[in-house]
Amino acid sequence: GMGGIVGQAEALGKKLDADADAEDGTPSFQMVVVCGKNEAAQKSLESREWGNGVNVQVNGFVYNMDEYMRASDAIVTKAGPGTIAEASICGLPCMLSSYLPGQEAGNVPYVENAGFGSYSSNPTKIADTVSTWIESPSKLEEMKSKALEAARPSATLDIARDIAEMLFEHKKKGGEK
């Protein structure tokens, strides 16, 4: 699973290392890879040499994804609605790498049209796109603003309130089915 996370991480790590100004031996970039429960991907990426230009941290399942998001300049992820919602609340540009046909397909144009992300399943295109964003602070800032504009941080509470109001109205009318 995880939409080719190994290929995507390798392509992005290689691109960031190539973009880096690492003559003094200090990494110019940091990349965190969260493999979730994909142990094969985690082992594969942990055993890889990344080069001096990029510091890579490989994790399995984490409970503090929100903290990683808040510390990041961009995220590469599948087009899951929860991740996109959380990323937009954090003002995080999204590089979407895959989606589930049907239920997640509409999330791709949503992110692209809102101006805070792009889609490609090609690891090289993903790496080039993210690299372009990182190399342009003004582009990142613009995408961050667009992500925040798209955010609906109170959506869950709004839904719960709407349901409660509907139930209350239904009960007030003495309606039972």
Side-chain angles (χ1 to χ4, degrees), residues 10-96:
E10 287 177 342
L12 184 54
K14 196 168 150 185
K15 178 70 176 145
L16 292 175
D17 185 47
D19 290 349
D21 178 21
E23 284 159 27
D24 60 355
T26 354
S28 300
F29 301 102
Q30 175 160 319
M31 180 173 79
V32 176
V33 185
V34 178
C35 299
K37 296 181 176 153
N38 187 338
E39 291 175 22
Q42 186 179 353
K43 281 192 179 73
S44 171
L45 293 170
E46 281 172 343
S47 67
R48 193 183 190 292
E49 284 297 317
W50 294 97
N52 293 331
V54 60
N55 177 37
V56 179
Q57 181 185 337
V58 180
N59 295 322
F61 187 85
V62 298
Y63 290 97
N64 59 336
M65 196 62 196
D66 59 316
E67 293 173 25
Y68 282 110
M69 285 186 174
R70 289 185 199 288
S72 298
D73 291 317
I75 186 171
V76 178
T77 182
K78 76 180 199 71
T83 306
I84 291 170
E86 198 167 355
S88 68
I89 289 166
C90 295
L92 190 58
C94 295
M95 182 68 222
L96 304 176

Side-chain angles (χ1 to χ4, degrees), residues 18 26-27 42 44-45 49 69 71 74 82 86 97-98 103 116 124 136 140-142 162 168:
T26 354
Q42 186 179 353
S44 171
L45 293 170
E49 284 297 317
M69 285 186 174
E86 198 167 355
S97 60
S98 64
Q103 66 184 31
F116 69 98
T124 305
S136 171
L140 266 184
E141 204 47 52
E142 179 190 335
D162 291 350
F168 180 74

Side-chain angles (χ1 to χ4, degrees), residues 129-143:
T129 302
V130 173
S131 166
T132 302
W133 296 348
I134 290 171
E135 294 290 320
S136 171
S138 60
K139 175 75 174 161
L140 266 184
E141 204 47 52
E142 179 190 335
M143 292 178 78

